[in-house]
Each structure stands twice: as C-alpha cells, then as structure tokens.
Amino acid sequence: MTEQEKNLSVFDIFSQAQETFEEAKKKSASESGSRTKHFRMTADGTYSVRILPLAPVIDQDGKALPMERKGYEYPIKDMVLKIMGKDNKGKEKPVYVNICNANYAFPDLKCDLVDEYVSVASEKYSDDEALIKKIKESSFNGGLKWNSNRCMYILDADKRADGMQILGLSYSQYKDLEDRKIKLWEKLLKKGKAPCPISSIENAYLVEITRKTEKKKTEYSFNIDAVSDTDILSDDELQSLLDAPRLPEALYRYTRFHLEATIAFLKQFDEKLQIDVMSEERIANCIDKIKMTLPADDNSHFTFDGSASDAVTQTGGNGIDALWDAFDRLEENGLDDKSEEGQDLRADIKEFIEVNDLEVVFSRKKTNLDLLKEIEDVLGEDDGQQDNQPAPAAEPEPEGSDEEPENEPEQEPEPERPSRSARGRRNEDTNEPAERPGRTDRRSARPERKRR
C-alpha cells in the first residue's frame, strides 16, 4: 500500500470511487433494453420530418473520432421470419422474429446463413427453375429475398418534443430522396459554400413525405421544403443525438437468439418445400462460423413458445416490429383486414396480446391498425419507464425491385418504385454520403416507434 493510500480514510476511498451522474447516464443508456421508436405513417397525408446527421463517436478524452461514414443514413437488409411453434397447451402458434443479414452485424464474417441457404439450394436444385424462383421471391411471397432499407434518425416536425425516432425508407424511396437532395445541393453551391440541405446542423430544410392511396395501392412522394426557413438543431437536440446509440448499434443486432431462430425457420422452410438443404456441410460450416463470431457472453436463446432468455427481443420489440412489417406488406399489396392474409395477421395480433399479457382489449370493432397502435402504446409506456426514447416506423415496399444489389450492398441499382420505409433496424456498409430528400414513415398514425 502506498503512503498516499495509507493517508486516505475508508470514506475517502469510497468517495473517490463513486459513480458520477454522467457515468450513470452513459451506463443506463448502454444497458437499456428499450427500443428506439420508429416513425410510421399510417394514414394518407403529408408528414414533415427533420433529418438528423450521423453523430461522431466520442473517445474517453472527449474528442470526436474520425467518422467511417458521413451523411445521415445507414443501409440494412432485414427479414421477418414466421416460425410455427406450439404453446403450453399444444396449440399451434406463430412466432415472429426480425433478423438482419449477419454480415451487417459482423462485417468480417463474410457469411450469412440465409444467403448460404439460397446459394446451396440454387446449386443443389439447379434443374428446378420453379423451385429456385420460389426460394428467391420476396419474403412476403414466401421466399428468402432480403428487404433493403435505409434508416436514419429524424424528428417529427409536428411533434418535436417526442424526440428522436428512426425512419426507414425502402431503397427506391431513399434514392428518390437522394436525387432531390443532390439537385437542391447543386443549386445552393452555385451561390456559395453550402452544407447538406437536409441533414446539416444549422442549414437544413424540412423534408415532406406525402402518403397517397389509390386503388388500394399506397405510394409515397418526397419534397424538400426549400421555400421555408432552414432548421437549426438546438443544443439539447444535438446532445440527445450524441447520447443516442449510433445507428449501427440500433439496427445491426444479431445474437445467438437470431441465429437459432433462423435455423428453426430454415428447417421448416425445408419441410415446406420438401427439400433438404439444412443437412448440407456448407450450411453446418456457416453456422459454426457465425457461432464462433458471436460474443462469448451471448447467452440468449430462441424458443418456440416465446419464453426465450432474450425475452425483450423475442416477445417485445422484435415481435411487434414483425407484426408491423406484416401489416405494411399487406397494405402495400392492397390487401385489407378482410382478406385471408389480413385475417391471419389479426389472429397473430391476438396471439401476441395474449402471450405477452398486454392490457389491450381485442374487439371486432377494432381494425388491425387500431390494435397495433394500442399494443405500441402499451409497449411504449413500458419503454418510457426505462428510457424516454421515441420509436421508428417503416414504410411498405412494393414487390419488385426496391432492393440494392444482393452481393454488393454498396452499389445501388436504379430505383424502381417506392416501398416500405423504416426500421427499424445494424453496420456501416457503404462510404457513399446520403443525399436526397424525402421521407417516409409509417409510424405517424401509429405511436412513434411502435412499429417498424
């Protein structure tokens, strides 16, 4: 023991080791299981949002580290898995799980189980064109095609006090926004130096997203309000942005729970199509590689009854996000509550309410949207007790080509048509700056992050 330590009283020793307010705040934020709310647009109309720039990472000395990616958004490829299980009474029930491509969570992995499954199946059954086409269809149509989205932090201009939310745009919607942003930026630069016109700290214009439904098809259009004054972020808003998880942390979550859920889903996919892909050596090797990449302290597990150790992920944020995704896909395909798919979703919503023992009254008078909003309200209250953060929303995406190139996430194809926006939410995979205004969120009619 040093002379200095000998001269310290026990009281002094503990006083020096006490946690500060800033340290407590930082630890609470990092350990909180609450979800960042998603901004959703659930009714026709025009929504005005303030897009926030990507925040730098601050080191222990309080200095901003060089940013690996600049702009305002991060890409993600995700998918909703519908896994059939049984409750404790032996009744068949679906379990919904949101997963992202493992390469986003672990950039050095170079291996994703869904991608490997599609590759192996395509080689093994190459003479069955109909089967391969089925496997490569969108997840809404029962295939394994990833949803490509771009996610960003935003403020609802009409409800600014609600705080930050995540807005998810389909790839085509993002390109629409980027195109508009670039065109406006070019005009501003002719007048002199100009920062990003939609995400800069002091000189950004609000982005207007208009949702319009015709013949049961919902479309989104974007506009940058360059007529009104530019928007300046307050010190409190900037501090909230610094305190919030960086988008990769919020979006790219891949745990043992997600791996086990994917394995269970793909085994059922094998059975559904009467094929055998999961027994192949390449699949086993891919699973082993992912397991070795997962953190050693990851003790989460997937169970068919929703009682996983990662309960928040399985029955909370993950499950409700999956239900929102299903709702979005029905909406974008012009299917209402009375359709067979709409009735299936209604049964899933009722199951979710019962399994999670939520204080939501299930009634025939309530639409699927009404029920989802109420669930979000209840979950939002629970989140608020831990962390007053808003949540994100996602937009429906039409079938077809809303996605980025499958093998090269950084190169993007020409936009094809607007799709779902949001969520949502995991890694940094492109060096391209974000540039185009527009905004889509499906969470407006829904409680703020309460839905994808």
Side-chain angles (χ1 to χ4, degrees):
M1 181 177 292
T2 65
E3 285 299 318
Q4 182 179 8
E5 290 173 329
K6 291 179 181 178
N7 295 329
L8 287 175
S9 68
V10 176
F11 181 85
D12 291 332
I13 293 173
F14 275 93
S15 294
Q16 292 180 4
Q18 283 189 20
E19 184 179 47
T20 67
F21 173 75
E22 290 302 323
E23 291 170 337
K25 184 178 176 182
K26 184 176 181 180
K27 183 177 72 174
S28 176
S30 64
E31 295 179 355
S32 173
S34 63
R35 299 169 295 140
T36 299
K37 293 182 179 180
H38 287 233
F39 184 72
R40 301 179 183 279
M41 298 181 292
T42 53
D44 286 356
T46 298
Y47 300 82
S48 185
V49 298
R50 203 320 183 167
I51 294 178
L52 303 177
L54 296 178
V57 174
I58 308 301
D59 64 16
Q60 295 180 342
D61 298 324
K63 297 180 180 179
L65 298 175
M67 297 181 68
E68 296 181 1
R69 181 185 181 87
K70 294 183 179 181
Y72 61 88
E73 48 69 45
Y74 267 85
I76 183 172
K77 287 188 176 181
D78 58 9
M79 184 182 301
V80 178
L81 307 180
K82 183 177 181 179
I83 308 165
M84 300 308 298
K86 292 184 178 180
D87 59 21
N88 52 17
K89 297 180 181 179
K91 178 185 175 183
E92 193 174 64
K93 54 162 280 189
V95 177
Y96 289 96
V97 176
N98 282 51
I99 63 167
C100 75
N101 189 296
N103 292 319
Y104 282 82
F106 310 112
D108 297 329
L109 180 60
K110 309 301 181 187
C111 174
D112 174 80
L113 184 53
V114 174
D115 286 344
E116 193 71 6
Y117 183 98
V118 173
S119 177
V120 172
S122 298
E123 292 181 15
K124 186 172 182 178
Y125 301 97
S126 58
D127 58 340
D128 192 337
E129 294 183 5
L131 173 64
I132 302 305
K133 181 180 179 181
K134 178 66 178 176
I135 293 174
K136 292 184 176 182
E137 282 186 327
S138 70
S139 56
F140 179 81
N141 290 325
L144 299 177
K145 185 178 182 180
W146 293 100
N147 305 314
S148 292
N149 296 310
R150 292 299 174 112
C151 297
M152 61 206 72
Y153 278 129
I154 60 98
L155 295 172
D156 183 343
D158 297 321
K159 299 179 180 179
R160 201 136 175 164
D162 288 349
M164 289 168 35
Q165 303 178 52
I166 291 178
L167 167 63
L169 303 180
S170 69
Y171 179 68
S172 65
Q173 291 168 343
Y174 158 75
K175 293 300 289 182
D176 184 7
L177 173 59
E178 276 295 285
D179 288 338
R180 295 174 183 274
K181 177 190 97 174
I182 291 297
K183 290 177 182 177
L184 175 58
W185 204 344
E186 289 175 342
K187 292 180 180 179
L188 294 174
L189 286 172
K190 291 179 181 179
K191 299 180 180 180
K193 186 177 179 180
C196 173
I198 62 172
S199 67
S200 63
I201 297 173
E202 297 180 302
N203 297 290
Y205 296 101
L206 297 180
V207 171
E208 297 174 334
I209 306 173
T210 299
R211 167 184 158 143
K212 185 177 182 181
T213 303
E214 289 185 351
K215 297 180 180 179
K216 294 187 177 181
K217 288 292 183 178
T218 302
E219 295 183 352
Y220 297 84
S221 58
F222 299 84
N223 176 59
I224 302 177
D225 183 12
V227 176
S228 301
D229 293 335
T230 53
D231 185 87
I232 301 175
L233 294 175
S234 68
D235 289 346
D236 287 343
E237 290 170 339
L238 289 172
Q239 187 60 55
S240 295
L241 185 57
L242 279 177
D243 293 340
R246 300 302 177 262
L247 280 172
E249 298 174 44
L251 300 173
Y252 305 147
R253 295 195 63 237
Y254 196 101
T255 64
R256 190 176 302 277
F257 164 84
H258 297 102
L259 173 61
E260 292 179 358
T262 305
I263 292 172
F265 172 79
L266 291 176
K267 286 182 177 179
Q268 292 186 358
F269 195 80
D270 261 0
E271 296 175 3
K272 178 182 176 182
L273 298 185
Q274 296 183 334
I275 58 179
D276 181 14
V277 176
M278 291 300 287
S279 64
E280 295 294 321
E281 183 178 358
R282 281 175 56 187
I283 297 296
N285 291 338
C286 181
I287 293 173
D288 288 341
K289 288 178 182 178
I290 296 175
K291 285 181 177 179
M292 289 188 290
T293 305
L294 295 172
D297 61 351
D298 181 353
N299 297 315
S300 63
H301 290 287
F302 169 80
T303 59
F304 287 99
D305 61 3
S307 61
S309 59
D310 192 356
V312 172
T313 300
Q314 178 153 348
T315 62
N318 213 294
I320 185 59
D321 282 346
L323 292 175
W324 272 120
D325 282 338
F327 176 86
D328 288 337
R329 292 191 175 283
L330 293 180
E331 182 181 62
E332 72 192 29
N333 283 274
L335 300 174
D336 58 22
D337 290 358
K338 296 180 179 180
S339 66
E340 181 179 349
E341 293 83 354
Q343 289 299 305
D344 288 343
L345 174 60
R346 191 171 188 82
D348 296 338
I349 293 173
K350 182 178 182 181
E351 183 77 26
F352 184 86
I353 293 172
E354 295 173 349
V355 168
N356 293 282
D357 193 23
L358 301 178
E359 294 183 3
V360 175
V361 178
F362 191 88
S363 167
R364 291 182 180 180
K365 295 181 179 180
K366 296 178 182 179
T367 65
N368 287 348
L369 177 59
D370 292 335
L371 292 168
L372 288 172
K373 286 181 183 179
E374 289 189 36
I375 292 173
E376 285 288 9
D377 286 334
V378 172
L379 294 179
E381 291 172 3
D382 294 339
D383 279 350
Q385 294 173 3
Q386 307 175 38
D387 189 350
N388 293 326
Q389 260 188 324
E395 299 301 330
E397 56 182 84
E399 289 299 312
S401 32
D402 254 352
E403 314 221 358
E404 311 180 40
E406 295 186 8
N407 297 323
E408 301 178 40
E410 305 181 42
Q411 297 185 354
E412 345 235 20
E414 288 302 311
E416 307 189 354
R417 51 175 176 178
S419 258
R420 113 189 6 158
S421 47
R423 159 208 228 22
R425 343 116 179 319
R426 324 170 198 205
N427 141 355
E428 52 192 54
D429 99 297
T430 332
N431 292 321
E432 57 192 336
E435 19 193 333
R436 289 163 195 164
R439 100 185 190 162
T440 354
D441 67 66
R442 332 177 207 181
R443 315 189 167 209
S444 25
R446 327 171 178 178
E448 338 318 70
R449 152 49 310 200
K450 305 180 177 181
R451 118 183 222 198
R452 169 194 157 54

